[in-house]
C-alpha cells in the first residue's frame, strides 16, 4: 500500500488479494482510493479498480 498526500486528502494505492472460491487460487486486484477530509473525518470520495 502507498499513500500520497493530495491537497486536503490522500490518494491510497493498494493491491488486494482475493481467493477464487472453487480453486482457492489467489487473485491480485489493484485499487486506488481518493480520501477527503470532511468535518474532521476522512471519507472515501472515489474508488477506482484498475
Amino acid at each position: 500500500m502507498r499513500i500520497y498526500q493530495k491537497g486536503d486528502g490522500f490518494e491510497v494505492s493498494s493491491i488486494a488479494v482475493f481467493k477464487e472460491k472453487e480453486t482457492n487460487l489467489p487473485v491480485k486486484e489493484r485499487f486506488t482510493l481518493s480520501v477527503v477530509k470532511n468535518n474532521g473525518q476522512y471519507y472515501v470520495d472515489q474508488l477506482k479498480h484498475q
Side-chain angles (χ1 to χ4, degrees):
M1 177 174 20
R2 294 197 174 141
I3 302 171
Y4 305 97
Q5 189 161 5
K6 189 176 178 182
D8 286 343
F10 298 93
E11 183 171 288
V12 180
S13 178
S14 67
I15 296 175
V17 180
F18 300 99
K19 286 191 178 181
E20 286 287 339
K21 185 176 181 179
E22 295 176 8
T23 62
N24 210 30
L25 292 173
V27 177
K28 295 180 182 180
E29 299 286 339
R30 182 176 299 275
F31 291 92
T32 301
L33 292 88
S34 293
V35 180
V36 295
K37 190 173 186 179
N38 188 358
N39 294 327
Q41 299 284 332
Y42 287 95
Y43 296 93
V44 176
D45 182 51
Q46 188 176 41
L47 174 91
K48 295 179 188 175
H49 177 233
Q50 295 142 353

